[in-house]
Amino acid sequence: LDTAYEKLAQERQLQLTKPTGSLGRLEDIAIQMAGITRNVCPVIKHKAVVVMAADHGITAEGVSAYPSDVTAQMVQNFLVGGAAINALARQANAEVAIVDIGVATDIEHPDLISRKVRRGTANMAHGPAMSREEALQAITIGIDVLDTLAAKGLDLVATGEMGIGNTTPASAITSVLLNIPVARVTGRGTGLNDQQLTNKVQIIERAIAHNQPDASDPLDVLAKVGGLEIAGLVGIILGAAARRIPVVIDGFISGAAALVAYTLCPTVREYLFAGHVSVESGHRFILEKIGLEPLLDLHLRLGEGTGAVLTMHIIEGALHTHNEMATFGEAGVSNKE
Amino acid sequence: LDTAYEKLAQERQLQLTKPTGSLGRLEDIAIQMAGITRNVCPVIKHKAVVVMAADHGITAEGVSAYPSDVTAQMVQNFLVGGAAINALARQANAEVAIVDIGVATDIEHPDLISRKVRRGTANMAHGPAMSREEALQAITIGIDVLDTLAAKGLDLVATGEMGIGNTTPASAITSVLLNIPVARVTGRGTGLNDQQLTNKVQIIERAIAHNQPDASDPLDVLAKVGGLEIAGLVGIILGAAARRIPVVIDGFISGAAALVAYTLCPTVREYLFAGHVSVESGHRFILEKIGLEPLLDLHLRLGEGTGAVLTMHIIEGALHTHNEMATFGEAGVSNKE
């Protein structure tokens, strides 16, 4: 972050017609935004949520309550504007960029960004989910997508994803990179019962034991027990940070991507806002590790970028107050005695 | 609440293209809104925040970090659009209705709703803040203001206030109605130091001891140790509930008004949303008593209605998803296996 701009923004905050600190985290957001953008009064004009979609070979082991086909069906739903992320993005006036980075079936649509690396990952219970080269390719696609959005103007980007089964790789990545037992970072995803949850934990433990990902090498972890949409979001985060574009991280899957990006390059933290804290148990550990405090806690567990896009209103609220409020001097209001 | 409409809204939620419950509190909000409005798919067109402004005789005892003059100065700031609530209301497309219900000095402005009951309350350290008749008059003004807004169309209303010193009556009301020691429900307001906080607690204890408000009679409490803006907001809340208009409660002062309204008529609870939880320690006790879970926790302590108006985006997000999402059938998406 550019501390000179943070300091100028902090000084502005002290002059606005309100008691010092009374806007709480809104003040922190405005100051961080100034540091990110090198602008004392940052303005958000262009917003987007990138929804990376991919399938997971591990679904063959019964780790999800929904069939794999739902990934492609939901991508179709995104393309016609019928999903939760579409409704929330319309409300927030954010563009929805839908990327097929690894859906198992082929989808044709003029609005779809088709950058399929492969037709879903392999079943990581029996071998690596993908090769290191494929993981790198997916990251590069994320950077490309971000660059394309940035070329049109992009002031705030949210991470989103769709991939039936993707809490399983998210839990595997979290367990390995944070060295926490699988059971503590694994949740019910879209709605598993107790027995299915026990099975999911065992499958993840088996996948880690079988593939032996190297915890000191985040790319190895991402390739062996990760997912294509997670890798794509790593690219979005790295690309945005490199361009000083703030990123709102959504829930657990996006969090796993943020954890990989942070492990590769810890300074990305400064460009991140944690949209919310998911019901999925692993998410809190990720946020704590990166050092992010979630802005919302609404018991969301949908993904797609929904919580992140909802949080855009809070970030914009922080800037509206920061940029538009009168100072004590301008308003003729007496300051503290 | 109309349970028939809640049930219909619940059934709709089960058909939307997302795992059951995955939108967490957004689903609860949509269902509650359906019950309030008797509409399965409620729409928010007209929003307003009512900012009740009044002065407090108790400021003579040094309970605030700011001089009393700031109440009128900030009302002027509201009228020219320079305060935090103006910035946030512009963002949320909400009307700001500013009411002089008891400012100590006279303010002339075409946009000001001038309904002054008296020039500030009396110093409650030495006698009742106001008479029972004045408290009732202020409540009636609140109902009137709400009715006037409703006549133009009003789908969601937020409570806001301005009154230097008003955390002091809010703490007094909370202490008496909840039977909790003053020290536990008294905070630093706009920024008191330790010694000033100790003084504030003692002043409130003295005011309660001197006036002996009857805890079983909320109007007596409101008159003896309350404030005119708090009484006005009681009227806003009662009037909105009577018209089945949902109310977003802001911070501690608005919370004290909600507590009085709830004590008078417990069913108002069903029409309330708790915008956020304030830094002021008494606020949590109020929310717990009424049975409200705050939607935001951003360490706000400004008042004016700021947290409530910021929360409007969350409530609208709940309705955007509820109203606009495709069902499994419409989208051709497979439901849970």
Side-chain angles (χ1 to χ4, degrees):
Chain A
L1 296 184
D2 193 317
T3 52
Y5 283 93
E6 285 194 301
K7 202 173 166 192
L8 289 168
Q10 170 78 62
E11 279 164 17
R12 175 166 173 78
Q13 279 288 330
L14 293 175
Q15 292 163 15
L16 300 177
T17 44
K18 61 178 172 54
T20 302
S22 62
L23 280 175
R25 296 190 62 193
L26 297 189
E27 300 186 9
D28 303 334
I29 291 169
I31 292 164
Q32 185 180 346
M33 286 290 287
I36 291 173
T37 61
R38 289 187 171 139
N39 184 343
V40 185
C41 291
V43 175
I44 294 174
K45 277 188 190 157
H46 302 285
K47 286 162 280 181
V49 53
V50 180
V51 185
M52 292 274 178
D55 275 304
H56 298 267
I58 194 72
T59 50
E61 310 293 330
V63 292
S64 176
Y66 285 81
S68 233
D69 295 347
V70 168
T71 303
Q73 291 166 356
M74 282 301 296
V75 169
Q76 297 283 5
N77 198 17
F78 296 150
L79 289 164
V80 297
I85 189 59
N86 302 107
L88 293 171
R90 279 191 294 268
Q91 179 198 2
N93 195 26
E95 180 183 348
V96 183
I98 307 151
V99 185
D100 173 2
I101 196 164
V103 180
T105 54
D106 284 347
I107 305 166
E108 293 285 333
H109 193 286
D111 296 336
L112 180 66
I113 302 168
S114 294
R115 299 294 303 267
K116 203 190 293 283
V117 174
R118 51 181 286 174
R119 291 167 192 275
T121 50
N123 182 343
M124 68 185 189
H126 305 303
M130 63 187 117
S131 69
R132 189 180 182 94
E133 289 66 34
E134 286 165 335
L136 268 170
Q137 192 186 337
I139 292 175
T140 306
I141 288 167
I143 296 172
D144 272 2
V145 168
L146 192 283
D147 284 351
T148 305
L149 289 168
K152 296 188 296 178
L154 183 65
D155 305 304
L156 186 61
V157 65
T159 63
E161 40 58 47
M162 179 68 220
I164 294 300
N166 66 9
T167 56
T168 292
S171 290
I173 288 169
T174 306
S175 173
V176 174
L177 286 182
L178 298 184
N179 192 25
I180 297 175
V182 171
R184 291 187 66 198
V185 296
T186 302
R188 293 173 192 276
T190 49
L192 299 181
N193 62 31
D194 287 352
Q195 194 190 327
Q196 291 167 324
L197 176 59
T198 304
N199 174 60
K200 180 178 173 184
V201 169
Q202 288 170 349
I203 296 286
I204 296 170
E205 287 171 342
R206 196 186 310 163
I208 293 171
H210 187 87
N211 290 294
Q212 293 288 318
D214 177 358
S216 70
D217 178 358
L219 272 182
D220 190 58
V221 178
L222 184 63
K224 285 178 175 166
V225 298
L228 290 153
E229 77 280 55
I230 297 174
L233 290 179
V234 172
I236 295 293
I237 293 165
L238 294 174
R243 288 180 174 276
R244 307 187 81 87
I245 296 169
V247 187
V248 194
I249 303 296
D250 190 38
F252 182 43
I253 320 300
S254 290
L259 180 61
V260 171
Y262 169 77
T263 311
L264 285 166
C265 176
T267 53
V268 299
R269 180 203 5 220
E270 301 177 352
Y271 301 88
L272 305 183
F273 293 95
H276 73 111
V277 55
S278 165
V279 174
E280 282 284 304
S281 58
H283 195 203
R284 286 179 193 275
F285 292 100
I286 291 173
L287 295 177
E288 200 176 303
K289 172 68 180 183
I290 304 181
L292 295 172
E293 188 79 29
L295 284 158
L296 298 177
D297 182 2
L298 297 170
H299 308 171
L300 306 177
R301 53 181 172 82
L302 177 55
E304 300 181 2
T306 47
V309 168
L310 203 55
T311 307
M312 285 179 162
H313 301 286
I314 308 294
I315 295 170
E316 291 187 293
L319 294 186
H320 279 286
T321 48
H322 181 78
N323 296 346
E324 298 171 22
M325 282 176 72
T327 63
F328 283 105
E330 286 164 2
V333 172
S334 312
N335 205 338
K336 203 167 164 177
E337 280 178 325
Chain B
L1 296 183
D2 194 318
T3 52
Y5 283 93
E6 285 193 302
K7 203 173 164 190
L8 289 167
Q10 171 79 63
E11 280 163 16
R12 175 167 172 78
Q13 279 288 330
L14 293 175
Q15 291 162 15
L16 300 177
T17 44
K18 61 180 172 54
T20 302
S22 61
L23 280 175
R25 297 190 63 193
L26 297 188
E27 301 186 8
D28 303 335
I29 291 169
I31 293 164
Q32 185 179 346
M33 286 290 288
I36 291 173
T37 61
R38 290 188 170 138
N39 185 343
V40 186
C41 290
V43 176
I44 295 174
K45 277 187 190 157
H46 301 284
K47 285 162 281 181
V49 54
V50 180
V51 185
M52 292 275 178
D55 274 304
H56 298 267
I58 194 71
T59 51
E61 309 294 331
V63 292
S64 176
Y66 285 81
S68 233
D69 296 346
V70 169
T71 303
Q73 291 166 355
M74 282 302 296
V75 169
Q76 297 283 6
N77 198 16
F78 297 149
L79 289 163
V80 296
I85 189 59
N86 302 106
L88 293 171
R90 280 191 294 267
Q91 179 198 1
N93 194 26
E95 181 183 346
V96 183
I98 307 151
V99 185
D100 173 2
I101 197 163
V103 180
T105 54
D106 284 345
I107 305 166
E108 293 285 332
H109 194 284
D111 296 335
L112 179 66
I113 303 169
S114 294
R115 298 295 302 268
K116 203 191 294 282
V117 174
R118 51 181 285 174
R119 292 169 192 276
T121 51
N123 182 344
M124 67 184 190
H126 305 303
M130 64 187 117
S131 69
R132 188 179 183 92
E133 290 65 35
E134 287 166 335
L136 268 170
Q137 192 186 337
I139 291 175
T140 306
I141 289 167
I143 296 172
D144 273 2
V145 169
L146 192 284
D147 284 351
T148 305
L149 289 168
K152 296 187 296 178
L154 183 65
D155 305 304
L156 186 62
V157 65
T159 63
E161 39 58 48
M162 179 69 220
I164 294 301
N166 66 9
T167 56
T168 293
S171 291
I173 289 169
T174 306
S175 173
V176 173
L177 287 181
L178 299 184
N179 192 25
I180 298 175
V182 171
R184 291 187 65 198
V185 296
T186 302
R188 293 172 192 276
T190 49
L192 299 181
N193 63 30
D194 287 351
Q195 193 191 327
Q196 291 167 322
L197 176 59
T198 304
N199 174 61
K200 180 178 173 184
V201 169
Q202 287 170 350
I203 296 285
I204 296 170
E205 287 170 343
R206 196 186 311 164
I208 294 172
H210 187 87
N211 290 294
Q212 292 289 316
D214 177 359
S216 70
D217 178 358
L219 272 182
D220 190 58
V221 178
L222 184 63
K224 286 178 174 165
V225 297
L228 290 154
E229 77 280 55
I230 298 175
L233 291 179
V234 172
I236 295 293
I237 293 165
L238 293 175
R243 290 180 172 276
R244 307 189 80 87
I245 295 169
V247 187
V248 194
I249 303 296
D250 191 37
F252 183 43
I253 320 302
S254 289
L259 180 61
V260 172
Y262 169 77
T263 311
L264 286 166
C265 176
T267 53
V268 298
R269 183 208 357 226
E270 303 177 351
Y271 301 88
L272 305 183
F273 293 95
H276 72 112
V277 55
S278 164
V279 175
E280 282 284 304
S281 58
H283 195 203
R284 287 179 193 273
F285 292 100
I286 292 173
L287 295 177
E288 200 176 304
K289 172 67 179 184
I290 305 181
L292 296 172
E293 187 79 30
L295 284 158
L296 297 178
D297 182 1
L298 297 170
H299 310 171
L300 306 177
R301 53 181 172 82
L302 177 56
E304 300 182 3
T306 47
V309 168
L310 203 55
T311 307
M312 286 178 161
H313 300 287
I314 307 295
I315 295 170
E316 292 188 293
L319 295 185
H320 279 286
T321 49
H322 181 78
N323 296 345
E324 298 172 22
M325 282 176 71
T327 62
F328 283 106
E330 287 164 3
V333 172
S334 312
N335 206 337
K336 202 166 165 178
E337 281 178 323

